[in-house]
Each structure stands twice: as structure tokens, then as C-alpha cells.
Amino acid sequence: MGTYRIDWHFLYGSGNGYHTIDVNIPPALVVAQTWLYGHAGGGAALAGIKHYRKRLDNGQEQDIDFGEWLSWPPVIFDTISSITAGLACGEDQDGWGVLRMDFWE
């Protein structure tokens, strides 16, 4: 097994709440990793994977949602067709994050 493609996506969020990006792809085996690379303002901030759509062996799709921001994992490895990466920021905060997707054969 090896990677044949790497995609980079960047996130920015300002103010209280969730700031997300959705990436839709043809079904593929993907390692997706997120991280927070910048943060301004007081309080906690987090980057993670909020949701993804898993492609099952029978061709159906299963939605996997990780709920609230403290439950968002930084990495998944699965056959997916969609992913939602997010930043959770507090009031008077700015956050910057990265979503890296490595496509595997």
C-alpha cells in the first residue's frame, strides 16, 4: 500500500461556534488528519474531524458523526466519500487549522 495523492485544505474561524468545511470525493481509502496551527484570543480552541461518510462494502453509505467538539478525533483512516473538518472557537477568538487527506491504494 502507498499514497497516490495528498490534498490540503485550510480552515479559518472567528467568533463563538463551529467553523467547518465539507469535502466530497469519489469513494476512496483515505487517512485524514487535522490540526490547529494558529489561535488568537483567550480560551480553548480545537481542530478536528466532526463528521464523515463511510462507504460500506455493499456500496451503501454510513454517516459517522462525532458530536460535540471535545469528541472530534484528529485522525481517521477509512473508505470515505465525504468529510467535515471543523474548528471550535470561543468568543473573541480566531483559529486556523489544516485538513490533510492522504489517498491510499
Side-chain angles (χ1 to χ4, degrees):
M1 286 181 98
T3 59
Y4 64 90
R5 179 174 133 196
I6 298 173
D7 288 354
W8 295 86
H9 303 276
F10 300 93
L11 297 89
Y12 170 75
S14 180
N16 194 34
Y18 295 163
H19 310 280
T20 61
I21 62 167
D22 297 314
V23 179
N24 296 304
I25 60 171
L29 183 61
V30 173
V31 174
Q33 177 182 4
T34 59
W35 62 91
L36 185 68
Y37 76 84
H39 164 249
L46 180 124
I49 297 166
K50 182 176 182 340
H51 176 270
Y52 74 96
R53 189 173 309 123
K54 176 179 182 167
R55 176 61 62 106
L56 302 174
D57 291 339
N58 64 9
Q60 294 183 341
E61 300 202 334
Q62 175 186 9
D63 283 318
I64 299 174
D65 191 274
F66 294 103
E68 297 298 317
W69 66 287
L70 289 175
S71 299
W72 296 352
V75 178
I76 63 157
F77 182 38
D78 216 334
T79 301
I80 68 170
S81 62
S82 174
I83 189 166
T84 302
L87 288 171
C89 295
E91 185 100 14
D92 300 323
Q93 283 185 327
D94 292 314
W96 297 267
V98 176
L99 166 64
R100 176 183 164 151
M101 298 172 63
D102 292 32
F103 292 76
W104 285 72
E105 300 186 287

